[in-house]
Amino acid sequence: MMPLRPWPVLALLLCVVASGCSQQQTEAFMQNIGEAGGLEQTLRNLREPTQSEEIEIGRGVTETLLGARPLLDDAELQRYVNAVGLWVAQQSERPDLPWRFGVNDSDHINAFAAPGGYIIVTRGMLRQLRNEAELAAVLGHEIAHVVQKHHLKALRKSAVVNLLGAGVAAAASEGEHAALAQKLIGPTKTLYARGLDKADEFEADRMGVVLAARAGYDPFALPAVLTTLAAASDKDPFLALLFKTHPAPEARIERLDTAMGARFDGFSVASQNAGRFEQATRRLRVAGG
Amino acid sequence: MKRWLMLSLMALCTAVSAASELGYTVRDTELKEKPFLDAATVSTLPSKTAVEVLTRRGGWMEVRSSDGKQRGWARLLNVRLGDPERRPPSGNLLSALGIGNRPRPQTTATVTTGVRGFSEEDLQKAEPAPEELKRMEGYAADAPALARFAREGNLKPGGPAHVAAEGRPLETPK
């Protein structure tokens, strides 16, 4: 390995830190320094994407997720899920993101978060839930991923996204956005097929419980959903992707049991809103719905 | 005739699965008269007692011990579904019929062909769908509608701080 000459590297580093470089200069620098391994990593992490860049990245990721399955054609249900989700998200540490929620037309049981506040839940997941508090719990878990930027951090480990992140404006033109979405296809597929670190999932469970409770919902709704999932066969094909990308539901329940203890007992009388949930999801319970 | 047979089979399946949540206690568990912490304790089930789950309400489950002698409300986190001797349940008739009493597609090879999936394979085949993103962005609730939604649902904001893995409260998420 070539010994590292410190001065040119330091000069370029300062240049990047001062944000005086054009994107082209930064990219050229990244290529030059590519051999330097650890230093490249350090440099990547110098600058976090701004919130508007994060949102553009999230939109690109969401386009691919919606490419795998489109939205369910049920405007009333979509608005309902958006109301529950936005209400929970407003109790989070990032209430001002443009939170958007969608139910996709998939029988599989799953839910996904993308950077910037884009959250998709499958029709199959909705059919497993018993009331609005359980929906708030599932959405709360996904909202926590966005609040903690779990997916953004994972995507930034892929160099292409990081460089793109530096050049994406809030009001990206159609062309710029399409180019970004194209470059995000690969990293999106890799990340959402592999999943996040287990620690991120456990953290999202703990935070999801709290966010749902802050929104006035029963904090035990998340353990209740996980109890339902734990009773499913581990070979159930409708749960294959969720089980591959998350810790086992039993392990998640054990962790929540420890974290929650008796701390949330006083909140367990909070709203379930089963009637409103049944009404909004009624079309999912008819044959072929 | 065929239709009648199918309908009665479906009715049977529903009846079986609706009554099929079986579980066990994971620690000594107080059974309460009502699903509240301060309700009277009617009895205590030892750890690993097999129970039938009759109803669920939030963080509580109404359970009956398998010998039928004890019945009451247990904290949800004190009960796990399934068989204490064989975890997790795998591919038996009940799980093939669905989780709890929720309707869901059947998973036998003959019916999976029509499934609208989001499997790993479906994800790998995906192409960006910008028009779907625009649709999704059009469903958001505005502030007055959201306030009404919360009021009608009796949702009062407030509540707890985030917690660390071991249960310590956190002021801001780490």
Coordinates of all heavy atoms in Angstrom, one line a residue, chain A residues 150-199:
Chain A
H150 N -32.5 5.6 10.3 CA -31.9 4.3 10.2 C -31.6 4.0 8.7 O -30.5 3.5 8.4 CB -32.7 3.2 10.8 CG -32.8 3.3 12.3 ND1 -33.8 2.8 13.0 CD2 -31.9 3.8 13.2 CE1 -33.6 3.0 14.3 NE2 -32.4 3.6 14.5
H151 N -32.6 4.1 7.9 CA -32.4 3.8 6.5 C -31.4 4.7 5.8 O -30.6 4.3 4.9 CB -33.7 3.7 5.7 CG -34.6 2.6 6.2 ND1 -35.5 2.8 7.2 CD2 -34.7 1.3 5.8 CE1 -36.1 1.6 7.4 NE2 -35.7 0.7 6.6
L152 N -31.5 6.0 6.1 CA -30.6 7.0 5.5 C -29.2 6.6 5.8 O -28.3 6.6 4.9 CB -31.0 8.4 6.0 CG -30.2 9.5 5.3 CD1 -30.6 9.6 3.9 CD2 -30.5 10.9 6.0
K153 N -28.9 6.3 7.1 CA -27.5 6.0 7.5 C -27.1 4.7 6.8 O -25.9 4.6 6.3 CB -27.5 5.7 9.0 CG -27.5 7.0 9.8 CD -27.7 6.8 11.3 CE -27.9 8.1 12.0 NZ -28.5 8.0 13.3
A154 N -28.0 3.7 6.6 CA -27.6 2.5 5.9 C -27.3 2.8 4.4 O -26.4 2.3 3.9 CB -28.7 1.4 6.1
L155 N -28.1 3.6 3.8 CA -27.9 4.0 2.4 C -26.7 4.8 2.2 O -26.0 4.7 1.2 CB -29.1 4.8 1.9 CG -30.4 4.0 1.6 CD1 -31.6 5.0 1.4 CD2 -30.3 3.1 0.4
R156 N -26.3 5.6 3.2 CA -25.1 6.4 3.1 C -23.8 5.5 3.0 O -22.7 6.0 2.6 CB -25.0 7.4 4.2 CG -26.0 8.6 4.0 CD -25.7 9.6 5.0 NE -24.5 10.4 4.8 CZ -23.9 11.0 5.7 NH1 -24.3 11.0 7.0 NH2 -22.8 11.7 5.4
K157 N -23.9 4.3 3.5 CA -22.8 3.4 3.4 C -22.5 3.1 2.0 O -21.4 2.6 1.6 CB -23.0 2.1 4.2 CG -23.0 2.4 5.7 CD -23.3 1.2 6.5 CE -23.5 1.6 8.0 NZ -24.2 0.5 8.8
S158 N -23.4 3.3 1.1 CA -23.2 3.1 -0.3 C -22.8 4.4 -0.9 O -23.5 5.4 -0.9 CB -24.5 2.6 -1.0 OG -24.7 3.2 -2.2
A159 N -21.6 4.5 -1.5 CA -21.0 5.7 -1.9 C -21.8 6.5 -2.9 O -21.9 7.7 -2.8 CB -19.6 5.5 -2.5
V160 N -22.5 5.8 -3.8 CA -23.3 6.5 -4.8 C -24.3 7.4 -4.2 O -24.5 8.6 -4.6 CB -23.9 5.5 -5.8 CG1 -24.8 4.5 -5.2 CG2 -24.6 6.2 -6.9
V161 N -25.0 6.9 -3.2 CA -26.0 7.7 -2.5 C -25.5 8.9 -1.8 O -26.0 10.0 -1.9 CB -26.8 6.8 -1.5 CG1 -27.7 7.7 -0.7 CG2 -27.6 5.8 -2.3
N162 N -24.3 8.7 -1.2 CA -23.7 9.8 -0.5 C -23.4 11.0 -1.4 O -23.6 12.1 -1.1 CB -22.5 9.3 0.3 CG -22.3 10.1 1.5 OD1 -23.2 10.3 2.3 ND2 -21.1 10.6 1.7
L163 N -22.8 10.6 -2.5 CA -22.4 11.7 -3.5 C -23.6 12.4 -4.0 O -23.7 13.6 -4.2 CB -21.6 11.1 -4.6 CG -20.2 10.7 -4.2 CD1 -19.4 10.0 -5.3 CD2 -19.4 11.9 -3.7
L164 N -24.6 11.5 -4.3 CA -25.9 12.1 -4.8 C -26.5 13.0 -3.8 O -26.9 14.1 -4.1 CB -26.9 11.0 -5.1 CG -26.6 10.3 -6.4 CD1 -27.4 9.0 -6.4 CD2 -27.0 11.1 -7.6
G165 N -26.5 12.6 -2.5 CA -27.1 13.3 -1.5 C -26.5 14.8 -1.4 O -27.3 15.7 -1.2
A166 N -25.3 14.9 -1.8 CA -24.6 16.2 -1.7 C -25.1 17.1 -2.8 O -25.0 18.3 -2.7 CB -23.1 16.1 -1.8
G167 N -25.7 16.6 -3.8 CA -26.1 17.4 -4.9 C -27.6 17.6 -5.2 O -28.0 18.2 -6.1
V168 N -28.4 17.1 -4.3 CA -29.8 17.1 -4.5 C -30.5 18.3 -3.8 O -30.4 18.4 -2.6 CB -30.5 15.8 -4.0 CG1 -32.0 15.7 -4.5 CG2 -29.7 14.6 -4.5
A169 N -31.2 19.1 -4.6 CA -31.9 20.2 -4.0 C -33.3 19.8 -3.6 O -33.8 18.8 -4.0 CB -31.9 21.4 -4.9
A170 N -33.9 20.6 -2.7 CA -35.2 20.4 -2.2 C -36.2 20.3 -3.4 O -37.0 19.4 -3.6 CB -35.7 21.4 -1.3
A171 N -36.1 21.3 -4.2 CA -37.0 21.4 -5.4 C -36.3 20.8 -6.6 O -36.1 21.6 -7.6 CB -37.5 22.8 -5.6
A172 N -35.9 19.6 -6.6 CA -35.1 19.0 -7.7 C -36.0 19.0 -8.9 O -37.2 18.8 -8.8 CB -34.7 17.6 -7.3
S173 N -35.5 19.3 -10.1 CA -36.2 19.2 -11.3 C -36.7 17.8 -11.5 O -36.1 16.9 -11.0 CB -35.4 19.7 -12.4 OG -34.4 18.8 -12.8
E174 N -37.7 17.6 -12.4 CA -38.1 16.3 -12.7 C -37.0 15.4 -13.2 O -36.8 14.2 -12.8 CB -39.2 16.4 -13.9 CG -40.5 17.0 -13.4 CD -41.4 16.0 -12.7 OE1 -41.4 14.8 -13.1 OE2 -42.0 16.4 -11.7
G175 N -36.1 16.0 -14.1 CA -35.0 15.2 -14.6 C -34.0 14.8 -13.5 O -33.6 13.7 -13.5
E176 N -33.7 15.8 -12.7 CA -32.7 15.5 -11.6 C -33.3 14.4 -10.7 O -32.6 13.5 -10.3 CB -32.5 16.7 -10.7 CG -31.5 17.7 -11.4 CD -31.5 19.0 -10.6 OE1 -32.5 19.4 -10.0 OE2 -30.4 19.6 -10.6
H177 N -34.6 14.5 -10.4 CA -35.2 13.5 -9.5 C -35.2 12.1 -10.2 O -34.9 11.2 -9.5 CB -36.7 13.9 -9.2 CG -37.4 12.9 -8.4 ND1 -37.1 12.6 -7.1 CD2 -38.3 11.9 -8.8 CE1 -37.8 11.6 -6.7 NE2 -38.5 11.2 -7.7
A178 N -35.6 12.1 -11.5 CA -35.6 10.8 -12.1 C -34.2 10.2 -12.1 O -34.1 8.9 -11.9 CB -36.1 11.0 -13.6
A179 N -33.2 11.0 -12.3 CA -31.8 10.5 -12.3 C -31.5 9.9 -10.9 O -30.9 8.8 -10.8 CB -30.8 11.6 -12.7
L180 N -31.9 10.6 -9.9 CA -31.6 10.2 -8.5 C -32.3 8.8 -8.3 O -31.8 7.9 -7.8 CB -32.1 11.2 -7.5 CG -32.0 10.8 -6.1 CD1 -30.6 10.6 -5.6 CD2 -32.6 11.9 -5.2
A181 N -33.6 8.8 -8.7 CA -34.4 7.6 -8.5 C -33.8 6.4 -9.1 O -33.7 5.3 -8.6 CB -35.9 7.8 -9.0
Q182 N -33.3 6.6 -10.4 CA -32.6 5.5 -11.1 C -31.4 5.0 -10.3 O -31.2 3.8 -10.2 CB -32.1 6.0 -12.5 CG -33.2 6.0 -13.5 CD -33.8 4.7 -13.8 OE1 -33.1 3.7 -13.8 NE2 -35.1 4.6 -14.0
K183 N -30.6 5.9 -9.8 CA -29.4 5.5 -9.1 C -29.7 4.9 -7.7 O -28.9 4.2 -7.2 CB -28.5 6.7 -8.9 CG -27.8 7.1 -10.2 CD -26.8 8.2 -10.1 CE -26.3 8.5 -11.5 NZ -25.8 9.9 -11.6
L184 N -30.9 5.1 -7.2 CA -31.3 4.5 -5.9 C -31.8 3.1 -6.0 O -32.0 2.5 -5.0 CB -32.3 5.5 -5.2 CG -31.7 6.7 -4.5 CD1 -32.8 7.7 -4.2 CD2 -30.9 6.3 -3.3
I185 N -32.2 2.7 -7.3 CA -32.8 1.4 -7.4 C -32.0 0.3 -6.8 O -32.5 -0.5 -5.9 CB -33.0 1.1 -8.9 CG1 -34.0 2.1 -9.5 CG2 -33.6 -0.3 -9.1 CD1 -34.1 1.9 -11.1
G186 N -30.7 0.2 -7.1 CA -29.9 -0.9 -6.6 C -29.7 -0.8 -5.1 O -30.0 -1.8 -4.4
P187 N -29.3 0.3 -4.5 CA -29.2 0.4 -3.1 C -30.5 0.1 -2.3 O -30.5 -0.5 -1.3 CB -28.7 1.8 -2.8 CG -28.1 2.3 -4.1 CD -28.7 1.5 -5.2
T188 N -31.6 0.6 -2.9 CA -32.9 0.3 -2.3 C -33.2 -1.2 -2.2 O -33.6 -1.7 -1.2 CB -34.0 1.0 -3.1 OG1 -33.8 2.4 -3.1 CG2 -35.4 0.7 -2.5
K189 N -33.0 -1.9 -3.4 CA -33.3 -3.3 -3.4 C -32.4 -4.1 -2.4 O -32.9 -5.0 -1.7 CB -33.1 -3.9 -4.8 CG -34.2 -3.4 -5.7 CD -34.0 -3.8 -7.2 CE -35.1 -3.4 -8.0 NZ -35.0 -3.8 -9.4
T190 N -31.1 -3.7 -2.4 CA -30.2 -4.3 -1.5 C -30.6 -4.1 0.0 O -30.7 -5.1 0.8 CB -28.8 -3.8 -1.7 OG1 -28.5 -3.9 -3.0 CG2 -27.8 -4.5 -0.8
L191 N -30.9 -2.9 0.3 CA -31.2 -2.6 1.7 C -32.5 -3.2 2.2 O -32.6 -3.8 3.3 CB -31.3 -1.0 1.9 CG -31.7 -0.6 3.3 CD1 -30.7 -1.1 4.4 CD2 -31.7 1.0 3.4
Y192 N -33.6 -3.1 1.4 CA -34.9 -3.6 1.8 C -35.0 -5.1 1.8 O -35.9 -5.7 2.4 CB -36.0 -2.8 1.1 CG -36.1 -1.4 1.6 CD1 -35.3 -0.4 1.1 CD2 -37.0 -1.0 2.6 CE1 -35.3 0.9 1.5 CE2 -37.0 0.3 3.1 CZ -36.2 1.2 2.5 OH -36.2 2.5 3.0
A193 N -34.1 -5.8 1.0 CA -34.1 -7.2 1.0 C -33.2 -7.7 2.2 O -33.5 -8.8 2.7 CB -33.5 -7.8 -0.3
R194 N -32.2 -6.9 2.6 CA -31.3 -7.4 3.7 C -31.8 -6.9 5.0 O -31.6 -7.6 6.0 CB -29.9 -6.8 3.4 CG -28.8 -7.3 4.2 CD -27.6 -6.4 4.1 NE -27.9 -5.1 4.6 CZ -27.3 -3.9 4.2 NH1 -26.4 -4.0 3.3 NH2 -27.7 -2.8 4.7
G195 N -32.4 -5.7 5.1 CA -32.9 -5.2 6.4 C -31.8 -4.4 7.1 O -30.7 -4.3 6.7
L196 N -32.3 -3.8 8.2 CA -31.4 -3.0 9.0 C -30.7 -3.8 10.0 O -30.9 -5.0 10.2 CB -32.3 -1.9 9.7 CG -33.0 -0.9 8.9 CD1 -34.1 -0.2 9.7 CD2 -32.0 0.1 8.3
D197 N -29.8 -3.2 10.8 CA -29.2 -3.9 11.9 C -30.3 -4.2 13.0 O -31.2 -3.4 13.1 CB -28.2 -3.0 12.6 CG -27.0 -2.7 11.7 OD1 -26.8 -3.5 10.8 OD2 -26.2 -1.7 12.0
K198 N -30.1 -5.3 13.7 CA -31.1 -5.7 14.7 C -31.3 -4.6 15.7 O -32.4 -4.4 16.2 CB -30.7 -7.0 15.3 CG -30.9 -8.2 14.4 CD -30.7 -9.5 15.1 CE -31.0 -10.7 14.2 NZ -30.9 -12.0 14.9
A199 N -30.2 -4.0 16.1 CA -30.2 -3.0 17.1 C -31.2 -1.8 16.7 O -31.9 -1.3 17.5 CB -28.8 -2.4 17.4

